[in-house]
Amino acid sequence: MKARVFVTLKNGVLDPQGKAIGHALNGLGFGAVGEVRQGKVIDIDLAESDAEKARSDLKAMCEKLLANTVIEKYEIELKA
Amino acid sequence: MKARVFVTLKNGVLDPQGKAIGHALNGLGFGAVGEVRQGKVIDIDLAESDAEKARSDLKAMCEKLLANTVIEKYEIELKA
C-alpha cells in the first residue's frame, strides 16, 4: 500500500519560504499569485494491506517523527 | 482558486532525505515501512477563475521556478 503524507505549517504560523516563492513568482510576471505556503510531502511504501491499520500507523509516524505538531499539521492520503 | 503543486525527485534520482526518514521510522518500530521519498508541496492562492488558464500558468511556474526539471518532476492539483 502506498501512502502520501503532507506536512504543512499551521495557518497562523509565519512561512518565510512560502512568502519568498510568492514574491519570486510575482516578480516573474505571475501577478495572479496571492498567498503561497510551502510544506513537505512524504511518499511511503507500506507493507500493510489493512487500510485502518495503515492509517493508524501513519498517524503515529506523524506524531512521533514526521511532523512537529506544535507548529505543523499533517494530512494522510492512502492509495491502493 | 487554490492550487497544490507537488515537486518530487524523479524516480531514478537518489533521495538521501527520504532514506533517512525510512531508516528512522524502521528504528522507531515501524517495520512495515519500505521505500520513502520526500518532496515539496506548494499551496498557491491564484486570482484566476479559468481552470485552463490557471493550469497553464502553474505549469509555466513549475518550469521556470518551482521545479528543477533535470532531476525533479511536478504534479498540479486544482481545487475549487
Side-chain angles (χ1 to χ4, degrees):
Chain A
M1 181 172 285
K2 281 180 184 291
R4 181 161 256 192
V5 175
F6 305 105
V7 179
T8 49
L9 288 167
K10 285 183 180 173
N11 277 339
V13 181
L14 200 69
D15 178 6
Q17 201 170 0
K19 275 214 155 41
I21 295 172
H23 281 298
L25 288 173
N26 289 151
L28 282 172
F30 298 106
V33 172
E35 213 202 343
V36 179
R37 310 277 290 173
Q38 208 219 293
K40 284 175 280 189
V41 58
I42 301 163
D43 289 311
I44 300 178
D45 268 341
L46 264 185
E48 173 65 62
S49 51
D50 177 6
E52 263 328 294
K53 174 80 168 67
R55 194 172 286 275
S56 76
D57 276 0
L58 287 162
K59 200 162 173 243
M61 290 176 207
C62 288
E63 297 282 343
K64 282 194 193 161
L65 180 80
L66 302 179
N68 173 354
T69 52
V70 178
I71 55 166
E72 291 172 326
K73 56 185 162 65
Y74 57 85
E75 292 161 59
I76 293 166
E77 210 179 86
L78 283 180
K79 301 173 184 187
Chain B
M1 181 170 287
K2 280 177 184 292
R4 179 162 257 191
V5 175
F6 305 105
V7 180
T8 48
L9 287 167
K10 286 184 179 171
N11 278 339
V13 181
L14 199 70
D15 178 7
Q17 202 170 0
K19 274 215 157 37
I21 295 172
H23 281 297
L25 287 174
N26 288 152
L28 281 171
F30 297 106
V33 171
E35 213 203 340
V36 178
R37 310 275 293 173
Q38 208 219 292
K40 283 175 280 189
V41 56
I42 301 162
D43 289 311
I44 300 178
D45 268 341
L46 264 185
E48 174 65 64
S49 51
D50 176 7
E52 262 329 293
K53 174 82 167 66
R55 193 170 287 275
S56 75
D57 275 0
L58 286 163
K59 199 160 173 243
M61 290 177 207
C62 287
E63 297 282 343
K64 282 193 191 160
L65 181 79
L66 302 179
N68 172 354
T69 53
V70 178
I71 54 166
E72 291 172 327
K73 57 187 163 60
Y74 56 85
E75 293 160 59
I76 293 166
E77 209 179 87
L78 281 180
K79 300 172 185 189

